[in-house]
Every structure is written in C-alpha cells, then in structure tokens.
Amino acid sequence: MHSPLRNQQPEHRSRPMMTTSTVSEIEEVIIPDEDDSDTTTTTTLLNASNGEQMRRRVSGKSLVDGGNRRISRQQSFGREIGHAAAETYLITRLSFKLLRYLGVGYRWMTRLFALACYAMLLMPGFLQVAYIYFFSSQVRRSIVYGDQPRNRLDLYLPSNNDGMKPVVVFVTGGAWIIGYKAWGSLLGMQLAERDIIVACLDYRNFPQGTISDMVTDTSQGISFVCNNISAFGGDPNRIYLMGQSAGAHIAACALLEQATKESKGESISWRVSQIKAYFGLSGGYNLYNLVDHFHNRGLYRSIFLSIMEGEESFEKFSPEVRLKDPVVGKAASLMPPIILFHGSSDNSIPCDASKTFTDALQAVGAKAELVLYSGKTHTDLFLQDPLRGGKDELFDDIVSVIHAEDNDALTKDSLAPPRKRLVPDLLLKLAREVSPF
C-alpha cells in the first residue's frame, strides 16, 4: 500500500473568514422521530459578515397527526421525483446543445455509442447509487454557492454527528463538457461511510461557459465550503481539495490562482492555507502537451481551443507552465501538500501529465508527490474499482491521508467491513473493454 505524505507534521490552520459577498443564510432542518410524536427543529444562522453562528434547538409535540405525517412523506417523495426529473432534463438539454455545437463526426459518433454501451454495462451499479443519491437523508443536493447557472453543490454527510468531520471538496471531471456534480456521488457516499463529509461542486461546462468561468465557479464553491461547512458539521481546519480528470485541471488552476492572489496581497475570500492537501486524480496540467492528444482521441482542436479561450490562454490555464513565472513559482510555496494519483495505463490523459507536473512543483519548492497505479486506466480508479467493491487501493490511500492525525479514525478504518460489490465482475470487464475514456 502506498503511504503518501502520511508522516507530515500538521500545520496550524487559522479559522476561515466568512464570505463577505453573500448575505446571511438561514437553514432549517426538520428531523422527525419515528418512535415519538415529537419533532425536533434545528435552526442554523450563518452571518456572512462576522462569522457568528447561532444554533437553536426546539423540541415539542408534533402539530400533525399520523395521517398528515403520511401525507407529508408522500409530498416529500413527490418533490424527490420532481427533483430527479429536473436534473435529468438539465443533463439532456445540455447534451443536445453540445451535440448541435459539435455536429456529426465519425469519432464523436463512435465514442457516443461506446459511452452508451459503457453506461449500460455499469447500469446495475449506477441505479443503486442513484437511488441513494435521490432518496437518502444523508445527501443534501443542490445547495446554492453562487449566483451563476449551475453554482450548486451536493453534500454527503456521515450518519453520525459526534464531532466535527474532515471535509473533501470534490471537482468532477467530464472533459470540460459533461461534468456534473452527481458524477461524484459514489465517491461521496463511500467517503461519508468513513466519517468524511464530501462537497461535490457543479460548475458551468462548455458551451455554457469556458475555462475561466469554470475556474471562477470552482474557486467560489471552495470559498463557500471553507466559510460555511461548520454549519453542516464539517471542520473548517480539515478541508481537502480533490479533482478528477478535467476537474483536477480546473481545481489546480483555482488553487494556483488563489495562491498567486494571496502572495500579491489581493482581496480574497478564502486562503490556500485553509486547504490541508490537494489530491489530483488522472489530471492534465499542461494544455500545450494535451491539445494534439485530445484531437486524436476525438476532442477536436477547434473545440478544445474554444473551451480554453484560444491558444493564447494556454499558459494562463496550464499550472505546470505557470510555475515557470518567478512570481507564480514563489506563490507555489504557499500551496498545501499536493498528491497526484494516476493510472499507468491511462489513455485519456497519459500519466506523464502528472509526472511532469510533480517535477515542476518540486522544482519550485512545493510539497508534491506522485502515486502511480500499475495497469490502471482512466476509469478504473474512479469507477470500475469502486463499483467492484472490496479493497480499493486509491480509496485507502486517500482515507489514510485524511485520517493520518486521527488514531481513532484509523482504528475504525482498519476494522471497516469490505465494501459492497455493486456490479458483477463480468460486466466490469466488458465495460473496461468498451470504455471510450
């Protein structure tokens, strides 16, 4: 088993500032007691200007009888169905908008067909995850973090509330085109089982937005989590940032941009010191090295240039290249420990992308480590392995870093039962063969 950065000494983390660009938010949660007629109401007041938090707990007899309680549950179920339909409509509408933009091409059509076959083979697992996503009380969907379209996040909460929990802010992948917050649901559910809160960010994808919009949205989502997660039981001094594929690139851009602003003394709503570590999974960090590779795999140069706002913006949105700038290189010293995970058989984004970024980070004095998984593909680490259940090397490595300073949590991890298999092994093997990624 790998042991990335497990022996690092913890650094002091100051309590984060509250976001000053938003008004106070009030959240009310009704928790029905199945064995009693009492209802408990918890109201949390987040004051965005001074960071004060008030909690009020009120207990009393329920104002509804059993019949009304059943009606309430039926109405709640109806709302969940309506939410699922709305989410499906959003994805479908954006997909057709994208197809109109891309036009009909051989590579796109073959990859679209491969994607459909891939999804069908993994459908037994996807349906189980989707049921939990839409109907579990531990999943808080579509929390607004900004005023732009798709400025929403999903929270995955542990079942117990004994103490403040570590937090992972996760930025999903999707080739900057089909990213969506629900893509992180499997990771969120599994980390929540280990007493880790996960916030999966949504952000504007192309053609709804371009790379600068994606980085702005992501930074704003990180700010929201840093400044408000304590209201959900999260520890603001134990926040980890993670991105997968395109999400790893976007998150790295946001982190480096924030470090640069901080080093220049610019006004900021969150600090890189609030992030305990950054996990980059199967990401690409140098656009100059990726444009031809993506073109040959069906993400045509013209589309890629449109996403990245032209070749003249490649340097700005290539973290590896930006580190060569003395100002940015100096700012990199402010960044938290960085661990890059990659499969050695990744054809979507070759593992050399993580290798060269690790070298560039180490060259400017940043704490960076590369963990390679032999024979793993782009989707093995993020989908097939978690759906297979049992032992998962990447998952264990991530959890071990997050719990490195918590002996009780490490003990619980060692006693945790094997994770449930969600998809038969035969279907997983077939999906691996037809995967378009």
Side-chain angles (χ1 to χ4, degrees):
M1 178 181 296
H2 303 284
S3 56
L5 297 175
R6 291 177 188 167
N7 298 319
Q8 295 255 350
Q9 294 298 316
E11 298 178 5
H12 176 72
R13 301 283 187 245
S14 60
R15 190 165 187 87
M17 303 178 296
M18 294 299 291
T19 305
T20 58
S21 60
T22 59
V23 297
S24 299
E25 301 177 14
I26 298 179
E27 178 192 22
E28 184 169 283
V29 182
I30 307 295
I31 310 173
D33 188 341
E34 296 294 342
D35 301 322
D36 202 315
S37 59
D38 287 2
T39 297
T40 300
T41 301
T42 302
T43 302
T44 302
L45 176 65
L46 301 179
N47 189 310
S49 61
N50 58 20
E52 294 180 357
Q53 301 176 7
M54 264 190 321
R55 291 182 180 271
R56 183 181 60 195
R57 187 175 182 86
V58 181
S59 296
K61 290 292 182 182
S62 172
L63 300 179
V64 295
D65 58 19
N68 288 338
R69 188 182 292 269
R70 285 192 295 272
I71 293 174
S72 177
R73 290 197 186 105
Q74 290 172 355
Q75 291 173 340
S76 177
F77 181 79
R79 284 194 297 269
E80 298 298 340
I81 294 296
H83 182 82
E87 300 281 274
T88 303
Y89 171 75
L90 171 63
I91 297 172
T92 303
R93 180 170 59 85
L94 292 175
S95 297
F96 277 106
K97 183 177 180 181
L98 173 65
L99 287 175
R100 287 198 303 270
Y101 185 92
L102 296 175
V104 179
Y106 171 75
R107 288 178 183 170
W108 270 106
M109 295 306 294
T110 55
R111 291 197 178 278
L112 186 63
F113 178 73
L115 177 61
C117 294
Y118 178 77
M120 288 300 297
L121 289 167
L122 299 182
M123 192 58 66
F126 291 163
L127 290 175
Q128 295 176 69
V129 173
Y131 180 82
I132 297 173
Y133 176 75
F134 286 113
F135 300 109
S136 171
S137 61
Q138 305 308 125
V139 182
R140 308 286 293 278
R141 295 178 307 280
S142 296
I143 297 172
V144 178
Y145 70 77
D147 57 2
Q148 294 297 321
R150 299 185 67 176
N151 280 184
R152 307 288 187 272
L153 62 84
D154 294 331
L155 279 181
Y156 298 83
L157 304 174
S159 57
N160 70 75
N161 55 5
D162 54 344
M164 306 294 271
K165 310 295 186 184
V167 182
V168 172
V169 181
F170 183 66
V171 186
T172 63
W176 305 272
I177 295 173
I178 58 172
Y180 184 56
K181 56 188 174 64
W183 298 170
S185 54
L186 180 58
L187 175 71
M189 293 169 192
Q190 293 179 337
L191 286 177
E193 292 176 354
R194 298 296 183 89
D195 280 351
I196 299 168
I197 294 176
V198 179
C200 289
L201 302 184
D202 206 5
Y203 54 89
R204 285 170 285 177
N205 280 214
F206 184 81
Q208 195 175 25
T210 55
I211 184 61
S212 59
D213 299 317
M214 302 176 201
V215 173
T216 297
D217 289 352
T218 297
S219 184
Q220 191 167 357
I222 297 170
S223 175
F224 179 89
V225 173
C226 287
N227 296 315
N228 297 290
I229 197 61
S230 58
F232 300 94
D235 188 344
N237 295 316
R238 288 190 293 165
I239 297 177
Y240 298 80
L241 177 62
M242 180 176 179
Q244 187 263 342
S245 191
H249 166 251
I250 295 168
C253 287
L255 187 64
L256 187 57
E257 180 65 21
Q258 196 72 6
T260 303
K261 289 181 178 179
E262 190 172 331
S263 69
K264 293 179 179 179
E266 297 181 18
S267 176
I268 53 176
S269 60
W270 62 281
R271 296 181 178 278
V272 291
S273 60
Q274 292 174 255
I275 307 299
K276 289 273 288 182
Y278 168 67
F279 305 134
L281 173 58
S282 307
Y285 312 95
N286 187 332
L287 301 182
Y288 293 101
N289 293 342
L290 294 174
V291 58
D292 290 332
H293 174 77
F294 286 149
H295 179 81
N296 293 332
R297 290 186 59 82
L299 183 56
Y300 300 126
R301 176 184 290 270
S302 59
I303 302 170
F304 190 70
L305 291 176
S306 296
I307 296 171
M308 300 301 166
E309 301 171 5
E311 193 166 352
E312 62 274 13
S313 296
F314 275 16
E315 180 176 347
K316 180 181 179 181
F317 296 109
S318 294
E320 179 183 322
V321 178
R322 288 199 69 194
L323 290 172
K324 297 177 182 179
D325 183 329
V327 175
V328 179
K330 183 178 179 181
S333 63
L334 300 174
M335 295 205 299
I338 294 172
I339 310 175
L340 303 181
F341 303 101
H342 222 118
S344 64
S345 297
D346 190 331
N347 292 322
S348 294
I349 301 179
C351 61
D352 283 345
S354 288
K355 291 179 182 177
T356 55
F357 188 38
T358 301
D359 292 341
L361 286 164
Q362 293 175 345
V364 295
K367 300 175 184 177
E369 180 179 350
L370 172 65
V371 180
L372 286 179
Y373 298 94
S374 179
K376 296 297 183 180
T377 67
H378 196 69
T379 53
D380 279 340
L381 296 171
F382 187 64
L383 277 178
Q384 282 98 264
D385 287 353
L387 290 171
R388 183 174 287 108
K391 183 178 176 57
D392 182 338
E393 203 170 7
L394 169 67
F395 181 83
D396 290 343
D397 285 343
I398 292 172
V399 171
S400 67
V401 174
I402 296 173
H403 285 162
E405 301 165 15
D406 188 338
N407 290 329
D408 289 339
L410 289 173
T411 300
K412 290 181 181 178
D413 292 338
S414 66
L415 300 175
R419 286 182 300 161
K420 176 185 175 184
R421 176 187 286 275
L422 300 178
V423 177
D425 198 55
L426 176 60
L427 295 184
L428 288 169
K429 291 179 179 178
L430 291 174
R432 193 178 196 265
E433 293 299 319
V434 303
S435 173
F437 303 107

